C-alpha cells in the first residue's frame, strides 16, 4: 500500500502543478486581452472626439486662424497624449509592483540581480519616444517658419514706445516702397487689415527697444528688434474673418500694457477695396467704413495713459520734490 501511495503522489503533484500553470497562463492571456481591448477602446475614443477641446487644449490656446496655428496645436495635443500614456504606464507598473511584491511574511522575495529584457526595454523605449517627438517637432517647426519668395501681401510691422505702425509694402526688404500705412495713437487703436486666402509676410522692426508682435489666435509671436535686424515670418493664409486683439508681449517700458492693436481679417475683395481707399487718401476709419467694417477697434480700447500734470512735477515745484 505504501508503494502504491508513493507511485500516485508524483502524478497528483504533476497534475496539480500543470493545473496551476494552466491557470496562470489563462489569467495572463485574460490580462493581455483586457489590455488590448482597453487600448483599442482608448484609440477609438481619442480618434472619435476632439481631445484638445475636451481638456481645454491642455493649456494651449484654441481657435487658431492659420494652418500653422493648427499644426502647432495638433503637435501639442499629440505630445500631451503621448506623455499621459507613458505616465499611466509607469504609474500602473509602480502600483503593480507595490501589490505584487508586497511583504507576505519574514522571508525575503527572490533577489534578481539583473533582467536583460527589462533593462533593454527601459533603455530603448525612452530613446524611441524622444526620437518620434523630436521628428514631428522638427517637421512642424520647419513648416511654421517657412517663407516663400512671392507672398501675396507684405506688411512691415513697426513698433515704438508705445504703439504700432503697419506699412503695406510693394515688395520685400528695406528697399521696398510703402503704398499705404496705418498709425496708432494714444486715442485710436491701430487696426491691421488683412485678407483671407492669401499668403502674408510680416517684416518686423523697432524704433527703440525690443517689442513683441503677438496675436493669440495666430498661436505665434516674434520679437521685434531695433536696428538693422528685421524679424520675418509668414502665414500661408488667414482662414477665419473677424476681429482679433493683438498685443506687445515683451515688457518694453512704462506703458507696455497700453500697446495694443487689432487684427481685422476680411475677404480678399474687401481688402483690395480697403487698400485702394487708403492709397486714395482716405483715413483708416474712412476706408474701413467704405467696406462695411467698424471704423474703430472692437476687441480692445485705448487705455488712459495718465500723461497729465498730476503725474509730473509742477513747474513751481522745487528741484527734487515730487508732486
Amino acid at each position: 500500500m505504501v508503494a502504491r501511495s508513493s507511485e500516485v503522489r508524483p502524478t497528483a503533484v504533476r497534475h496539480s502543478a500543470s493545473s496551476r500553470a494552466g491557470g496562470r497562463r489563462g489569467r495572463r492571456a485574460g490580462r493581455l486581452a483586457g489590455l488590448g481591448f482597453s487600448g483599442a477602446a482608448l484609440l477609438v475614443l481619442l480618434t472619435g472626439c476632439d481631445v484638445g477641446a475636451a481638456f481645454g487644449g491642455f493649456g494651449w490656446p484654441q481657435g487658431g486662424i492659420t494652418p500653422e496655428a493648427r499644426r502647432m496645436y495638433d503637435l501639442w495635443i499629440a505630445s500631451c497624449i503621448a506623455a499621459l500614456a507613458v505616465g499611466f504606464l509607469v504609474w500602473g507598473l509602480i502600483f503593480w509592483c507595490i501589490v505584487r511584491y508586497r511583504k507576505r511574511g519574514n522571508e525575503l522575495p527572490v533577489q534578481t540581480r539583473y533582467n536583460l529584457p527589462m533593462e533593454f526595454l527601459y533603455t530603448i523605449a525612452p530613446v524611441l519616444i524622444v526620437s518620434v517627438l523630436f521628428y514631428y517637432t522638427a517637421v512642424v517647426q520647419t513648416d511654421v517658419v517657412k517663407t516663400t519668395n512671392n507672398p501675396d501681401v507684405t506688411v512691415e510691422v513697426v513698433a515704438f514706445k508705445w504703439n504700432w505702425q503697419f506699412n503695406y509694402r510693394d515688395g520685400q526688404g528695406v528697399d521696398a516702397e510703402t503704398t499705404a500705412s496705418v498709425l496708432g495713437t494714444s486715442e485710436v487703436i491701430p487696426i491691421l487689415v488683412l485678407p483671407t486666402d492669401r499668403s502674408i509676410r510680416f517684416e518686423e522692426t523697432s524704433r527703440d527697444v525690443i517689442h513683441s508682435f503677438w496675436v493669440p489666435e495666430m498661436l505665434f509671436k516674434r520679437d521685434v528688434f531695433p536696428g538693422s535686424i528685421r524679424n520675418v515670418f509668414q502665414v500661408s493664409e488667414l482662414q477665419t474673418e473677424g476681429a482679433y486683439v493683438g498685443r506687445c508681449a515683451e515688457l518694453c517700458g512704462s506703458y507696455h500694457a497700453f500697446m495694443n492693436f487689432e487684427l481685422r481679417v476680411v475677404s480678399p475683395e474687401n481688402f483690395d477695396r480697403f487698400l485702394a481707399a487708403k492709397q486714395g487718401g482716405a483715413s483708416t476709419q474712412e476706408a474701413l467704413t467704405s467696406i462695411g467694417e467698424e471704423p474703430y477697434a472692437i476687441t480692445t480700447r485705448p487705455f488712459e495713459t495718465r500723461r497729465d500734470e498730476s503725474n509730473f512735477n509742477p513747474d513751481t515745484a522745487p528741484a527734487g520734490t515730487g508732486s
Side-chain angles (χ1 to χ4, degrees):
M1 182 177 293
V2 174
R4 283 197 298 271
S5 175
S6 62
E7 290 175 1
V8 172
R9 281 181 189 141
T11 306
V13 170
R14 285 196 298 271
H15 178 72
S16 176
S18 62
S19 299
R20 287 197 299 271
R24 285 197 296 270
R25 285 195 295 269
R27 287 194 295 273
R28 288 197 191 100
R31 285 197 293 267
L32 290 175
L35 289 173
F37 177 79
S38 301
L42 179 61
L43 181 62
V44 172
L45 177 64
L46 295 179
T47 56
C49 66
D50 187 347
V51 179
F55 293 94
F58 293 111
W60 188 275
Q62 301 180 70
I65 59 175
T66 68
E68 290 80 8
R70 298 183 188 280
R71 291 188 188 101
M72 289 185 287
Y73 176 79
D74 291 341
L75 175 65
W76 174 258
I77 298 301
S79 300
C80 288
I81 293 174
L84 287 173
V86 172
F88 281 121
L89 175 62
V90 173
W91 296 329
L93 290 174
I94 290 173
F95 286 112
W96 180 78
C97 289
I98 292 174
V99 174
R100 175 66 177 81
Y101 298 106
R102 70 188 185 278
K103 185 177 180 181
R104 292 187 176 87
N106 294 324
E107 293 185 9
L108 287 175
V110 178
Q111 303 296 296
T112 303
R113 295 180 58 189
Y114 56 85
N115 187 317
L116 287 180
M118 186 61 66
E119 293 178 5
F120 181 79
L121 175 64
Y122 65 63
T123 301
I124 296 300
V127 174
L128 292 177
I129 293 171
V130 172
S131 299
V132 171
L133 291 176
F134 177 83
Y135 169 77
Y136 284 106
T137 300
V139 169
V140 172
Q141 177 178 300
T142 301
D143 183 68
V144 167
V145 302
K146 179 176 59 180
T147 59
T148 60
N149 295 326
N150 297 298
D152 298 320
V153 180
T154 300
V155 177
E156 183 184 44
V157 177
V158 182
F160 58 92
K161 293 182 178 180
W162 281 277
N163 223 306
W164 303 88
Q165 180 176 355
F166 304 114
N167 299 323
Y168 297 93
R169 312 277 277 180
D170 62 1
Q172 302 174 26
V174 295
D175 298 328
E177 296 292 332
T178 297
T179 62
S181 183
V182 174
L183 177 64
T185 66
S186 298
E187 292 76 28
V188 179
I189 296 291
I191 299 177
L192 173 59
V193 181
L194 292 174
T196 58
D197 303 325
R198 292 183 182 177
S199 59
I200 302 164
R201 178 186 177 95
F202 297 88
E203 297 184 356
E204 302 175 339
T205 185
S206 171
R207 298 294 186 224
D208 35 55
V209 298
I210 297 177
H211 301 276
S212 185
F213 178 85
W214 180 42
V215 178
E217 282 77 13
M218 291 173 65
L219 302 186
F220 193 75
K221 61 182 178 182
R222 279 290 181 88
D223 284 347
V224 186
F225 298 107
S228 59
I229 301 176
R230 296 175 73 86
N231 216 349
V232 176
F233 73 97
Q234 183 172 320
V235 297
S236 55
E237 64 173 334
L238 295 169
Q239 298 174 313
T240 308
E241 295 185 21
Y244 307 95
V245 67
R247 307 185 186 280
C248 174
E250 185 77 26
L251 182 59
C252 56
S254 300
Y255 296 95
H256 158 73
F258 306 152
M259 197 169 166
N260 295 339
F261 66 93
E262 181 172 281
L263 171 64
R264 192 75 61 86
V265 183
V266 300
S267 66
E269 297 76 19
N270 281 343
F271 174 76
D272 292 337
R273 290 167 52 200
F274 168 83
L275 203 57
K278 288 286 295 179
Q279 293 168 349
S283 67
T284 301
Q285 285 66 44
E286 292 170 343
L288 284 168
T289 302
S290 70
I291 62 174
E293 291 285 331
E294 290 290 332
Y296 295 97
I298 58 178
T299 59
T300 184
R301 59 180 178 79
F303 290 91
E304 175 55 54
T305 60
R306 302 187 296 275
R307 299 179 191 178
D308 49 38
E309 186 175 327
S310 63
N311 286 294
F312 299 93
N313 289 333
D315 293 337
T316 58
T321 303
S323 58

